[in-house]
Every structure is written in structure tokens, then in C-alpha cells.
Amino acid sequence: MTTFTVINFTLLTILTVTALVIARLRALYEAAMLTALSSLVTASLFVLMDAVDVAFTEAAVGVGISTVLLLGVLALTRSREAVTPRHRHLPAIAVTALTGGLLVYAAQDLPAFGSADSPVQRHPVTEVYLHQSQKEIGVPNTVTAVLASYRALDTLGELVVVFAAGTAVLLLLGPLTHGKRRQNLDLMEYKVLRVVSSLLMPFVLVFALYVLFHGDFGPGGGFQAGVIFATGFVLHGLVFGLDKSQRVLPPAALGSLVPLGLGLFVGLGVVTMLLGGSFLDYGTLLPTGGPAAQHLGILTVEVAIGITVAAVMTSIFFAFAGRRPTR
Amino acid sequence: MSGTHYVYWLLFALMMIGLYVVISHGNLLKKMIGLTLFQVSVFLFFISLGKVEDGSAPIISPEVETYSHPLPQVLILTAIVVGVATLAVGLALAVRIFEAYGTVEEQDMQERDEDRHGAAS
């Protein structure tokens, strides 16, 4: 047994046990905190499986944003779950046993974990993404190359979903600006928190910029930078109160940033079409074409993604934090 | 099948725990947490299929020869951000339901609906 197997097995077991405990807990605050823990373990597993970009995103999203959202909703609603009646358990056990059994049965056909000759690795696209991309796009981080260039249209679709989800939340929870509200998330009286978070704030934002612009060469990119930006503002909002952070980032400005990124992305596609290429064909951006034009296109797309993701995540947080509890 | 299939089995166990919570629990917020667990296991399953033994992160450098596959990573990277955005929509709906019904338990909501219908007829 190698060290890799031991670490992998241990982390997966911790994850499964955490999930079991979450399923049994009726106190939802504790369940939300354990969900954050499971996200952290998941991020470690992503690093172990060589998915550093994904680990980055999971750490910022799972541990940061989704935990804050869950806790915010628990503050608005009830944090104790009712006892699940016995008659609901049986059908659930039957369904999960059947599905789980089928999955384990089907998994016999799956290639061994980590094998180099699995269908995934033998597919012709592997060669293109890993080696040909170095000549065509010239970006060492192939995840960025695939995300922002080869599959840019796909990424545009994902960004539209993020945009739509953000709009849906704002429609459900009302506009961000309305009169005086109760501060349900305000930790101003904690001096240590205040000092530490105001010291951290610039570093978080500079780090987000680093992640955004360094995405070509190392782990990073628009999605990661967007969520890191948002965690910076979430931290500010939590510690200094919503009113203060909305003075820093007015809801009107935030609202216009949400469609700006999406517009930039689509606009780039239209520009490449006007220049005579197909939609999002970066080769037309510069007369010389090649990697330099690809770099330009990728950078624009990453900035567009970063703007929309950061604005959507921050306004979702503002929407939840600005909601007045009805009790 | 080989000795490394424990990865898939553990991920399926995690997936089923998530599914179980979604089906059996009546609390909407608990359902959302269950859905998150399910989602995480699908993410890990995708990433595990792209992993190569002794491989490295797919960032090309002269010293490295084996890389894990970048495509599953791209798909999951965007899926995580989409996942949290849709989670927020679910939570927003739960908040609105709580404001209308005063509860997030399915059972109580049904009872309240029946009371309302009973009063109307």
C-alpha cells in the first residue's frame, strides 16, 4: 500500500463518516459547520487527485460562501429540524439500497482508479489538450486553455446559469436597497475580528487579482478569482455590518456589474465574428493570430467571468444578509 | 475490477447518504445539505476518473511527463460555482416559504395547506 492510497482512503473515510453524522444531526447549525468541514476534506482530495484548480474553487466556495449562506438562512428560519417520522425512512432506505447496489454493480466495468489506459486517457482529445495546446494556445495551465479557449462556449453557458441563478435570488429576496433593516449579521463589537479582518481585506483582494491574472501559468482563473473576491466582501459584510459594506460597494454598482461580465464575454464573441472568425475564435483578435491572440482572448474571458461571478456571489450574500427575520 | 475500486465504492456510499437525506428528511434546509453532499460525491467521482497514477496537475512543465486529464477538472470547476449559485436559489425559496408558512418542514406545510382548504370550503 502506498502513501497515496493510505491518504486517499483516510480522507474518503473521513468524508463519508462526516456525511453520516450530518445525516443524523437534527441541529442544523452543527450540520452546516460539518458541511464546511466536508468541503475542506473534499478540497484536500481534489489536491490529491491533481485537480488544483478545482480544489481552489471548492475551498473558497464550499468552506466560505455556501457555509455563510447556510448560516444566514438558518438565522432567518428555524435551526432545529423536526424528528423524521419512522414511515419516511423505509422507502428512502429501499431506494438508496437499490440505487447504491446498481452503482456498485455497474462500477465493476469502471477502469481501475488511476490507470493510464482508461477510455478517458486514451481519447484523442487528451493529446490535443495536453500537448497540441502548447503550440496552439501556449498556456501552461491546460485547465485554463480548455476552459477559456477550447470549450469557451460551454463556459459561457455556465456563466449564463450563474447569472440566471443570481437574478433569481435577487427576484426572490427583493431589491438590495430598501429602508432601514435589522442588522442580523454584525460583529462590530469584536475588536480582534475587526482588526484582523481589516488587515486581511487588502491581501484577500490582491490575492484574487493574482489568481485572476496568473491563471494562465498556475492554478487560477476567473471562477476562482470571482469567488475569492466575493469572500473578501462577505468577510467585510460579516464583520462591519451590511450598511458599511454597501457603502463601499453600492447595490446599484453591484447590480450593473452582474450583467457587465456576461456582456463582455458575449461581446468578445461578437467581435471575433465581426473580424471574420467564428464565435469566440480568438485567432482573429490580432492580425498575427496564434498564441498572442489566444492570450488576449483568454484574459478577456477570465476577467469577464471574474466580474460576473464576484458580483453574483456578493449580491447573493447581500440579499440574504439584508433580509429581515419575520419572527 | 481491481483493488483500487474502494475509491468508487466510498464515493457511492457518500452519494447514497446524500440521496437518503434528500428523500427521507422533511426539512427543506436539511434537504439542501443532503443535495450538497450528493453533489460533492459526483464532483469527486468525475475528478477520480481523470486521475492518472503518479500523474501531476495538468500544468505543463518540462520536468513532468505524466499529467492527469484536464477536461473533468474544467467541467467540475465550473459546476462548483454553478452549484453554489443554484444552492442559493434553493435557500432563497426556503426563506420565502418560511415567511409564507412559518415553517420549513414539509409535514407542517401540508397540514397548513389542508387547513386553509378546509376553511375555504
Side-chain angles (χ1 to χ4, degrees), chain A:
Chain A
M1 247 214 272
T2 58
T3 333
F4 177 87
T5 319
V6 173
I7 298 175
N8 199 19
F9 183 78
T10 314
L11 284 178
L12 279 169
T13 315
I14 293 174
L15 195 58
T16 317
V17 172
T18 315
L20 265 179
V21 176
I22 291 172
R24 292 188 59 86
L25 270 179
R26 277 178 51 223
L28 293 179
Y29 272 118
E30 281 84 337
M33 292 321 290
L34 281 179
T35 315
L37 172 72
S38 75
S39 283
L40 205 59
V41 177
T42 312
S44 321
L45 272 165
F46 282 144
V47 174
L48 202 64
M49 295 186 190
D50 304 333
V52 277
D53 283 278
V54 187
F56 229 130
T57 322
E58 177 68 30
V61 165
V63 186
I65 293 176
S66 68
T67 309
V68 170
L69 288 184
L70 268 174
L71 293 180
V73 171
L74 288 176
L76 288 173
T77 59
R78 217 149 274 165
S79 61
R80 189 127 194 115
E81 189 191 3
V83 185
T84 311
R86 200 166 279 269
H87 66 87
R88 292 192 65 140
H89 283 301
L90 213 59
I93 288 173
V95 169
T96 45
L98 188 71
T99 320
L102 274 176
L103 281 173
V104 170
Y105 174 68
Q108 289 178 337
D109 280 345
L110 280 175
F113 173 70
S115 81
D117 59 345
S118 66
V120 180
Q121 311 296 344
R122 273 195 322 235
H123 196 278
V125 95
T126 314
E127 174 60 26
V128 175
Y129 287 167
L130 284 178
H131 300 111
Q132 207 177 312
S133 73
Q134 293 313 297
K135 286 185 224 86
E136 286 177 355
I137 297 178
V139 169
N141 186 357
T142 52
V143 174
T144 303
V146 177
L147 181 105
S149 186
Y150 286 118
R151 296 182 66 92
L153 190 64
D154 187 32
T155 309
L156 176 61
E158 307 266 14
L159 198 63
V160 171
V161 178
V162 172
F163 171 78
T167 318
V169 171
L170 292 186
L171 285 175
L172 280 167
L173 296 183
L176 292 178
T177 42
H178 48 87
K180 192 132 181 73
R181 0 156 222 252
R182 212 201 73 149
Q183 292 287 312
N184 55 344
L185 297 164
D186 190 354
L187 306 168
M188 264 307 260
E189 61 263 39
Y190 297 93
K191 225 174 221 157
V192 175
L193 264 183
R194 214 170 61 219
V195 172
V196 169
S197 60
S198 51
L199 275 177
L200 269 178
M201 187 70 180
F203 289 105
V204 172
L205 297 185
V206 169
F207 182 59
L209 284 176
Y210 167 78
V211 168
L212 180 65
F213 293 113
H214 199 254
D216 299 3
F217 306 100
F223 282 101
Q224 293 94 319
V227 286
I228 292 171
F229 255 118
T231 46
F233 285 109
V234 169
L235 178 71
H236 188 270
L238 281 177
V239 175
F240 295 97
L242 197 59
D243 285 337
K244 265 228 173 90
S245 64
Q246 288 201 335
R247 221 172 299 150
V248 178
L249 203 68
L254 198 59
S256 56
L257 281 179
V258 173
L260 178 74
L262 198 59
L264 191 59
F265 203 143
V266 178
L268 182 71
V270 173
V271 166
T272 55
M273 279 169 86
L274 289 177
L275 288 171
S278 48
F279 191 68
L280 292 173
D281 174 11
Y282 307 144
T284 57
L285 285 176
L286 289 178
T288 47
Q294 290 286 343
H295 270 291
L296 189 62
I298 288 176
L299 198 62
T300 317
V301 164
E302 296 280 23
V303 170
I305 296 170
I307 292 173
T308 291
V309 169
V312 165
M313 294 300 152
T314 316
S315 42
I316 286 176
F317 167 70
F318 281 173
F320 278 106
R323 197 82 185 166
R324 193 199 300 263
T326 46
R327 269 169 295 177

Side-chain angles (χ1 to χ4, degrees), chain B residues 9-114:
Chain B
W9 292 335
L10 280 170
L11 288 179
F12 292 153
L14 181 63
M15 210 180 281
M16 286 311 112
I17 295 169
L19 186 65
Y20 178 80
V21 172
V22 173
I23 297 176
S24 69
H25 287 252
N27 186 299
L28 295 179
L29 301 177
K30 193 64 181 282
K31 269 185 201 290
M32 297 303 297
I33 292 177
L35 213 53
T36 315
L37 291 176
F38 189 94
Q39 199 171 271
V40 156
S41 77
V42 174
F43 293 164
L44 278 169
F45 181 60
F46 252 73
I47 297 292
S48 73
L49 290 177
K51 163 81 184 153
V52 182
E53 210 174 338
D54 300 323
S56 170
I59 298 169
I60 308 295
S61 96
E63 300 101 67
V64 185
E65 292 213 332
T66 338
Y67 299 99
S68 290
H69 204 287
L71 186 56
Q73 304 191 7
V74 173
L75 299 178
I76 297 313
L77 169 63
T78 53
I80 289 176
V81 180
V82 169
V84 73
T86 46
L87 172 77
V89 177
L91 292 176
L93 280 170
V95 168
R96 290 301 296 266
I97 288 171
F98 181 80
E99 287 172 1
Y101 286 87
T103 177
V104 281
E105 300 284 342
E106 265 179 2
Q107 202 79 28
D108 301 346
M109 267 183 262
Q110 252 162 11
E111 278 167 21
R112 218 145 293 184
D113 268 348
E114 278 157 17

